[in-house]
Amino acid sequence: MVDNFSGPSPSAVRLGRRQRLALGALGASFLMVTVDSTIVYVAIPSIQRGLGLSTGTVQWVMSAFLISFGGMLLLSTRFADMFGRRRLFTAGLALVTAASLLSAVAWSGGVLIAARVLQGVGAALVATTALPLLALSLGNGPARSRALGLWTLIGAFGGTSGLLLGGVLTDGPGWRWVFLLNVPVGIAAALLVPLLPADRCAPSGRPLDVVGAAILVSALALFGWTIVGAFTPNGSAVADLLRLAGAIMLLLLFLTVESRAARPLVRPGLLRSRTRLAGLVVLFAAGTIVDGVLLLIALYSQESLGFSASRFGILMVALTLPSVIGSYAGQAVALRHGLRTVAMVGMAMVCAGLLALTMVPGPLAAGHILSVLPVIGVGTGAAFVAAQIAVTLGATDADSPTTSGLTDASFSMGGAIGLAIVSAVLVAHQTAAGAPAAPERVADGLHTAFAVAAGLAVVGALAALLLRHGGSHPARRVDA
């Protein structure tokens, strides 16, 4: 929306003290959530050693967060309507802060994973309420536009900041400070909450589909457990089949509950669009690749190549910054050449980069990884933005919160499944006795895991074929 004047005067965009403090509280909270998306990856090897976790178990430190975060996103938009955004933001902030403190003092893997579940729920509440509260705080006009630009920058570079900051903290005071960092930020933001505008609630007599959300999260968690268990040495095939059957039954139950719910998580009409469904699949595939690759390189670079956590964080900037570039370039190209072209080219770049790593004979060197990370980053960024446009394209104002939640939920759920898949492949190549695997077995496991990730990119490319080929102007509807 463009304001009806040639340019804002300096006084027109100057924020009052109350607005500046509100912006600081909301921006710090959103930055905390975006940093959390990557900061823990840097510390994964240290957490594994510190708590004595196996590869199959340590991936749950990230998967637990992603599953609870993605599963809560859709439900939290409904909670915001019922209880008010400021109340929900406060509750989410308190939960993230408390769960971060519990993560920092965790004395076992089980405690840490449970704390990460709570942290994911709190992060979802913050993520879905912070931006609407920012809009309410600043109102319409140039001040709001500038603040939204700052918001975009926080989202774009939060992941990179997490990698760099996580390396410094892990190599310095230790991995527990990766979680402890959230505590003072959360407390400071909570003290400023009274400055945020109180929005009115819109309660409805129809119950929320809390049961459906719980079933979906349980099904995905059980599916991830099934994948890891299937590749665990000396595992039980019967137990794996039972878990798989349970996950399928829960997914079927979720569909049944949704079809009968008075207020389903997703309005059925939203999923009748081929373009929107294809976009969700592309997002899911992109999530599996990004999080899977981060875990693979985090473990390999620090355990096999001897990288420090800080050096790993710097290495991964070669992935995160190109992904930002890819998203901006992909958006511009999509407006001219269509979503299908951008998503397919992006996924093709990802697949090519991953396959290049599988073709390196023997153990991978840092140079091999560094040479392909920019290609993978640009490709995932372009595919992500094309799929994001596809999911939100044509949505009404009433459906916008749901489509936004679907975007983030699909990417997060894909990340959780991707972590389970790659960790399962790595576990399969470890020795049954638990002793350190020989270098050639480590290399074989890494090559296989990258090949599996390339296969997931192919799935994303096939889904991209179903996206619309023409331009992607937001005014055009795709539901009809």
Side-chain angles (χ1 to χ4, degrees):
M1 180 177 180
V2 180
D3 297 288
N4 295 321
F5 52 86
S6 58
S9 65
S11 59
V13 298
R14 187 177 297 123
L15 298 178
R17 180 174 179 273
R18 185 185 183 94
Q19 289 178 313
R20 291 197 303 271
L21 291 173
L23 177 60
L26 295 169
S29 302
F30 181 57
L31 180 62
M32 181 171 62
V33 172
T34 56
V35 166
D36 269 349
S37 66
T38 56
I39 193 171
V40 180
Y41 281 105
V42 185
I44 284 292
S46 296
I47 293 172
Q48 185 176 14
R49 292 189 297 268
L51 297 179
L53 305 179
S54 67
T55 302
T57 301
V58 76
Q59 63 91 16
W60 284 104
V61 174
M62 284 306 306
S63 293
F65 176 89
L66 291 171
I67 290 175
S68 61
F69 178 77
M72 192 64 189
L73 281 172
L74 295 176
L75 194 60
S76 63
T77 59
R78 306 298 176 82
F79 278 144
D81 293 334
M82 289 188 65
F83 304 112
R85 292 181 178 86
R86 191 173 78 171
R87 288 181 182 176
L88 206 64
F89 175 79
T90 305
L93 199 59
L95 191 55
V96 169
T97 304
S100 298
L101 180 59
L102 180 58
S103 298
V105 301
W107 54 90
S108 69
V111 172
L112 178 57
I113 291 170
R116 290 288 285 166
V117 171
L118 297 176
Q119 197 175 4
V121 172
L125 299 181
V126 171
T128 53
T129 55
L131 185 57
L133 283 172
L134 176 70
L136 288 173
S137 299
L138 301 182
N140 293 320
R144 177 176 174 177
S145 299
R146 291 196 173 188
L148 290 176
L150 175 63
W151 202 264
T152 302
L153 288 176
I154 292 175
F157 294 102
T160 300
S161 302
L163 290 169
L164 297 175
L165 187 58
V168 173
L169 291 174
T170 303
D171 285 340
W175 65 264
R176 295 183 185 275
W177 282 83
V178 166
F179 302 107
L180 200 59
L181 177 69
N182 288 340
V183 177
V185 176
I187 292 174
L191 293 176
L192 298 175
V193 164
L195 298 178
L196 301 178
D199 54 327
R200 292 185 297 175
C201 309
S204 173
R206 295 178 296 175
L208 288 172
D209 188 20
V210 178
V211 174
I215 293 173
L216 177 60
V217 172
S218 300
L220 291 169
L222 191 56
F223 185 60
W225 186 13
T226 302
I227 294 173
V228 175
F231 290 89
T232 301
N234 302 320
S236 170
V238 175
D240 294 336
L241 290 174
L242 288 175
R243 284 192 290 264
L244 179 59
I248 294 174
M249 290 178 64
L250 284 174
L251 286 175
L252 293 175
L253 180 60
F254 168 73
L255 295 176
T256 302
V257 170
E258 284 292 286
S259 65
R260 298 178 180 179
R263 297 181 68 189
L265 292 177
V266 181
R267 183 173 62 82
L270 281 178
L271 300 180
R272 292 174 185 164
S273 165
R274 184 190 72 180
T275 294
R276 183 168 290 124
L277 284 174
L280 291 174
V281 175
V282 174
L283 286 169
F284 187 89
T288 62
I289 294 163
V290 170
D291 287 284
V293 167
L294 276 171
L295 180 64
L296 286 173
I297 299 178
L299 293 173
Y300 181 74
S301 63
Q302 295 183 59
E303 293 181 352
S304 297
L305 297 181
F307 275 31
S308 65
S310 299
R311 191 177 177 190
F312 162 73
I314 295 172
L315 172 68
M316 294 311 296
V317 171
L319 174 69
T320 56
L321 285 184
S323 70
V324 175
I325 296 172
S327 64
Y328 279 104
Q331 185 174 11
V333 174
L335 293 173
R336 181 169 297 183
H337 299 287
L339 302 175
R340 184 190 305 173
T341 300
V342 173
M344 287 188 64
V345 171
M347 281 297 176
M349 292 176 65
V350 173
C351 186
L354 292 169
L355 288 178
L357 291 177
T358 67
M359 296 177 183
V360 177
L364 293 173
H368 297 137
I369 298 173
L370 184 60
S371 65
V372 300
L373 284 182
V375 177
I376 297 174
V378 171
T380 52
F384 178 90
V385 75
Q388 185 182 48
I389 294 172
V391 174
T392 58
L393 188 63
T396 64
D397 290 341
D399 287 329
S400 291
T402 301
T403 54
S404 177
L406 281 172
T407 298
D408 294 334
S410 296
F411 189 79
S412 296
M413 294 300 187
I417 298 301
L419 289 170
I421 292 173
V422 299
S423 65
V425 173
L426 291 180
V427 168
H429 285 78
Q430 290 179 344
T431 59
E440 58 271 14
R441 290 191 62 81
V442 173
D444 289 344
L446 196 65
H447 282 87
T448 304
F450 280 130
V452 170
L456 295 171
V458 172
V459 172
L462 292 175
L465 286 172
L466 300 177
L467 297 177
R468 57 186 301 167
H469 183 64
S472 58
H473 194 281
R476 300 180 185 176
R477 297 187 59 87
V478 298
D479 294 315

